Amino acid sequence: MKMSARTRVVIAKPGLDGHDRGVKIVARALRDAGMEVIYTGLHQTPEQIVETTIQEDADAVGLSVLSGAHMTLFRRVIELLAERGAQDVVVFGGGIIPDEDLPELERLGVARIFTPGATTESIVEWARSHIA
C-alpha cells in the first residue's frame, strides 16, 4: 500500500555533523514508500529546520544526529515547533544516541529514535503507522 502523496516529511541534519550517507538512505526509503520527502542538507540549525517544516506544511520531521548534541537539538526543535503552533508535527530521529537518553527524548516528545542497525523497512513501517 502506497502512502498518500500528501504525507510530507522533512529530513534534516542539524548541527556540525557532516556524515549524511545514512540520512540520504532513509530519505530515499521514505520517498520510495510514497512519501514526499524534503531533505534540508547538512549543517542546519533548529531554527532553519523548523522554518522549513512550517513552510513545507510537513507532517513530520526526522533528525539525524551523530554529533552527541542530540539532547539539545531535539529539545530545541520541539520547543520551536511548539512556539509556532506546530505541536502536531511528529518528531523522530536516528543516529548515535545512547540508550540511556531514549527515555528523556521520549519525555520531550520525540516519537521514535532509530539507532544503528535499524532497517529501512522498519523505519518505513513505523512511519506508515505513525505519521498522519
Side-chain angles (χ1 to χ4, degrees):
M1 176 179 100
K2 284 226 173 208
M3 298 209 53
S4 163
R6 290 188 234 189
T7 300
R8 297 172 65 87
V9 181
V10 169
I11 300 290
K13 284 293 297 183
L16 300 176
D17 175 20
H19 186 287
D20 65 351
R21 183 172 176 209
V23 75
K24 286 179 176 177
I25 291 169
V26 170
R28 171 169 273 169
L30 294 174
R31 191 174 295 122
D32 289 350
M35 296 178 214
E36 189 168 346
V37 177
I38 301 96
Y39 173 51
T40 64
L42 293 168
H43 310 301
Q44 297 291 297
T45 66
E47 290 77 10
Q48 290 169 317
I49 293 164
V50 169
E51 186 59 35
T52 299
T53 302
I54 300 295
Q55 285 180 359
E56 295 290 344
D57 193 26
D59 301 297
V61 59
L63 306 180
S64 171
V65 184
L66 304 174
S67 65
H70 50 275
M71 298 304 291
T72 302
L73 293 167
F74 277 100
R75 179 179 286 114
R76 186 69 180 135
V77 166
I78 289 168
E79 287 171 355
L80 291 167
L81 286 169
E83 286 174 16
R84 300 287 298 269
Q87 309 85 308
D88 59 331
V89 172
V90 176
V91 178
F92 68 101
I96 308 298
I97 298 173
D99 290 342
E100 57 267 21
D101 291 345
L102 298 178
E104 178 63 11
L105 289 168
E106 187 177 320
R107 191 191 67 72
L108 290 172
V110 179
R112 178 74 187 265
I113 295 291
F114 295 94
T115 53
T119 64
T120 54
E121 293 83 6
S122 69
I123 296 167
V124 166
E125 184 179 308
W126 177 86
R128 281 186 167 142
S129 62
H130 289 87
I131 300 172

